[in-house]
Amino acid sequence: MILYPSLPSSLISFNNTTQTPPYHCVPRKTPQKQHLHLLSASNPCSCGRRLFLQTAASTAFLPICPSLASHSPSDYLGVLQRVHPPRPDWYEEFYASVLNTSMESYEAEIAGYKLQLFDNLLEKAKKILEIGIGTGPNLKYYAGHTDVEVFGVDPNQKMEKYARAAAVNAGLPPANFNFIHAVGEAIPLPDASVDAVVGTLVLCSVKNVNLTLKEVKRVLKPGGLYIFIEHVAAKDGTVMKLAQILLDPLQELVVDGCHLTRETGKEISEAGFSKLVLSKEFISNIPLINPHVYGIAYK
């Protein structure tokens, strides 16, 4: 049994100085009333990646490849097979079914933050891509918006039946939901083809964060939105950070490539978006997989 160290829910604060802090943090408030703070795209920040629970998985090295805008469909398949090598059907089904039934408490706690983000999204986007859609926990936030078209990308094809069921429960017409068997590093959609990209707890487990963010920017229309929620590395020098460093290899092995110590927020802030809105929060029911960063990046 692993005993997770607990942290207070208060957030790190920074003094007003001429130097840019590594994070622009906001104190914990009632999610529906909390305001996101603006950051310029050049401001650095530091954070990490995605979550899940307990399953065994193997990983594969993804070679760096050029912009995928000019790749043929067979190239997308090749990247998929390198990033997510074929696994036995029983394992993919087990992983999908466990994910579908084990995240209720997390989703309940994060719901206020998701409502805040998706309210912004649905006012401005009709074609939406979600990377790492999994079993579709975000699709309920589209309820009542039958004119929204959603493209869901995931490397585990067994997620599709769960995601489609979630789309039906959200009231999305079947023709408005498209499941795509692919990875974030190679998205088989044209340049500037979607109004928004959604990614929640996914950059922790992609093989190449920078390449995934390049793909996000490529498929977004000018002015498009990238909505994200990611768990990130704890502050250096803390007991939490030490625990994350020690447990990261095990986490990667048994949680399908998830890392505890990635600086995902920094990579988002350095990805070249024109504007970045970033906040930081502690989620109490998963103490080891903290803190979280969430917000909106604008192409």
Side-chain angles (χ1 to χ4, degrees):
M1 175 184 295
I2 298 173
L3 296 179
Y4 297 149
S6 60
L7 289 180
S9 59
S10 58
L11 299 175
I12 306 166
S13 61
F14 297 92
N15 295 327
N16 272 334
T17 67
T18 56
Q19 296 180 341
T20 304
Y23 275 113
H24 191 96
C25 302
V26 292
R28 184 170 183 137
K29 303 176 184 178
T30 303
Q32 291 84 347
K33 296 181 180 179
Q34 185 170 354
H35 296 291
L36 297 174
H37 287 227
L38 280 171
L39 294 175
S40 69
S42 61
N43 281 355
C45 71
S46 40
C47 27
R49 262 181 101 176
R50 167 169 162 169
L51 133 93
F52 178 57
L53 23 76
Q54 49 231 72
T55 355
S58 59
T59 59
F61 177 75
L62 172 68
I64 300 296
C65 52
S67 172
L68 295 162
S70 60
H71 281 205
S72 68
S74 61
D75 292 319
Y76 293 108
L77 180 60
V79 176
L80 167 65
Q81 290 176 340
R82 291 195 297 272
V83 172
H84 190 84
R87 290 153 178 159
D89 279 355
W90 69 263
Y91 170 74
E92 297 278 70
E93 176 59 42
F94 173 73
Y95 185 93
S97 63
V98 173
L99 184 63
N100 190 53
T101 58
S102 63
M103 301 293 286
E104 289 88 350
S105 61
Y106 172 82
E107 289 296 335
E109 185 168 359
I110 203 73
Y113 305 104
K114 286 190 175 184
L115 282 169
Q116 182 182 2
L117 293 172
F118 280 88
D119 281 349
N120 285 283
L121 176 68
L122 294 171
E123 293 173 0
K124 302 174 182 177
K126 297 303 178 186
K127 287 193 173 184
I128 300 171
L129 164 68
E130 182 165 352
I131 54 174
I133 193 167
T135 58
N138 295 327
L139 292 171
K140 63 186 177 184
Y141 297 101
Y142 305 128
H145 297 269
T146 56
D147 56 341
V148 170
E149 184 176 8
V150 179
F151 301 88
V153 165
D154 202 280
N156 184 346
Q157 205 157 15
K158 299 299 182 180
M159 301 288 187
E160 181 174 4
K161 64 181 179 182
Y162 299 104
R164 289 197 177 278
V168 170
N169 290 337
L172 282 176
N176 287 23
F177 177 72
N178 308 273
F179 185 92
I180 303 172
H181 187 211
V183 290
E185 293 90 341
I187 300 170
L189 292 177
D191 295 1
S193 58
V194 298
D195 303 306
V197 176
V198 173
T200 62
L201 302 180
V202 62
L203 293 183
C204 60
S205 54
V206 299
K207 289 294 185 296
N208 189 307
V209 177
N210 287 329
L211 189 57
T212 300
L213 291 172
K214 286 180 181 178
E215 281 291 271
V216 168
K217 289 179 61 184
R218 180 183 66 80
V219 300
L220 275 175
K221 296 177 181 178
L225 310 179
Y226 169 43
I227 302 291
F228 60 90
I229 300 176
E230 300 290 347
H231 70 83
V232 305
K235 184 181 178 181
D236 288 344
T238 62
V239 173
M240 174 73 79
K241 181 62 175 287
L242 176 61
Q244 290 175 340
I245 292 170
L246 293 174
L247 293 172
D248 192 73
L250 179 62
Q251 176 84 356
E252 182 183 2
L253 176 66
V254 302
V255 192
D256 207 18
C258 173
H259 291 262
L260 297 172
T261 57
R262 283 190 172 172
E263 306 293 339
T264 309
K266 179 180 179 181
E267 295 188 73
I268 293 173
S269 70
E270 294 176 352
F273 290 99
S274 64
K275 185 171 65 175
L276 175 62
V277 179
L278 178 70
S279 294
K280 184 179 177 184
E281 188 55 87
F282 184 87
I283 304 300
S284 64
N285 68 37
I286 46 168
L288 183 66
I289 305 174
N290 268 296
H292 279 48
V293 292
Y294 66 101
I296 307 173
Y298 298 79
K299 182 174 178 179

